């Protein structure tokens, strides 16, 4: 699994080994978005489109790079036993502003199908806590997306 992730980031994004951490962070962000799309036990096409749009915009990826990142994130998400492996990378390496933007992306995915389920709301709240985003910014991110 790790070999395929490294191969993707080396071949597709032409990154040096010092940039491996950034690659892992992109994968972690994608995995969290995918986890959220599964929170209400219904994966809607609108949510998948919102995930892809957010990742493409945030990381400036080509269509091929985006498809590969989403595939790898799906695999990582299925293999994960907790959110910790994803949220820990985000917490340690994202600035407060980047964490705020990630939570906004989560809200965008949650609302993409027209409603925010209680499971989606709970998961976003949990992720925000795990990445140490202050509650006021959690609320602001939600209002920015819903407003």
């Amino acid at each position: 699994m790790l070999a395929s992730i490294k191969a993707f980031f080396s071949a597709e994004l032409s990154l040096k080994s010092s940039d491996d951490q950034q690659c892992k962070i992109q994968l972690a962000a994608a995995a969290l978005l995918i986890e959220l799309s599964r929170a209400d036990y219904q994966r809607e096409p609108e949510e998948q489109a919102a995930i892809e749009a957010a990742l493409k915009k945030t990381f400036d990826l080509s269509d091929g790079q985006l498809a590969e990142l989403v595939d790898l994130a799906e695999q990582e998400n299925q293999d994960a036993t907790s959110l910790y492996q994803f949220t820990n990378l985000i917490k340690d390496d994202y600035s407060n502003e980047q964490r705020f933007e990630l939570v906004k992306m989560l809200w965008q995915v949650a609302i993409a199908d027209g409603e925010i389920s209680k499971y989606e709301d709970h998961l976003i709240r949990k992720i925000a806590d795990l990445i140490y985003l202050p509650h006021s910014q959690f609320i602001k991110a939600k209002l920015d997306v819903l407003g």
Side-chain angles (χ1 to χ4, degrees):
M1 177 60 68
L2 272 178
S4 64
I5 293 169
K6 272 190 141 179
F8 164 69
F9 286 116
S10 295
E12 293 293 326
L13 300 179
S14 302
L15 294 174
K16 301 174 189 162
S17 61
S18 63
D19 292 331
D20 281 347
Q21 190 67 9
Q22 184 60 32
C23 300
K24 291 176 186 175
I25 293 168
Q26 289 179 3
L27 189 60
L32 289 173
L33 292 171
I34 289 166
E35 180 66 22
L36 178 67
S37 72
R38 295 179 174 160
D40 61 359
Y41 304 102
Q42 298 175 0
R43 292 204 58 190
E44 303 292 336
E46 298 88 358
E47 290 176 333
Q48 185 65 31
I51 290 169
E52 292 174 4
L55 292 172
K56 190 170 187 172
K57 178 183 174 192
T58 302
F59 301 125
D60 194 29
L61 302 172
S62 70
D63 290 339
Q65 291 169 329
L66 175 65
E68 187 71 21
L69 177 61
V70 169
D71 287 345
L72 288 171
E74 290 272 0
Q75 292 172 359
E76 283 291 309
N77 189 277
Q78 288 176 358
D79 295 341
T81 56
S82 75
L83 296 175
Y84 177 78
Q85 69 190 64
F86 308 125
T87 57
N88 193 48
L89 284 169
I90 301 293
K91 175 185 64 78
D92 291 344
D93 292 304
Y94 266 27
S95 68
N96 193 54
E97 182 179 321
Q98 290 170 312
R99 288 180 283 167
F100 175 76
E101 289 301 318
L102 176 64
V103 171
K104 279 178 58 175
M105 287 192 299
L106 290 165
W107 283 118
Q108 290 165 349
V109 170
I111 195 64
D113 63 356
E115 66 176 308
I116 299 173
S117 76
K118 64 183 179 182
Y119 304 110
E120 291 169 326
D121 186 84
H122 173 73
L123 183 59
I124 297 171
R125 187 177 307 265
K126 182 176 181 177
I127 291 169
D129 286 345
L130 289 171
I131 63 174
Y132 296 166
L133 187 73
H135 186 72
S136 61
Q137 289 189 312
F138 164 80
I139 297 298
K140 182 176 179 353
K142 183 177 184 179
L143 293 175
D144 284 358
V145 170
L146 297 179

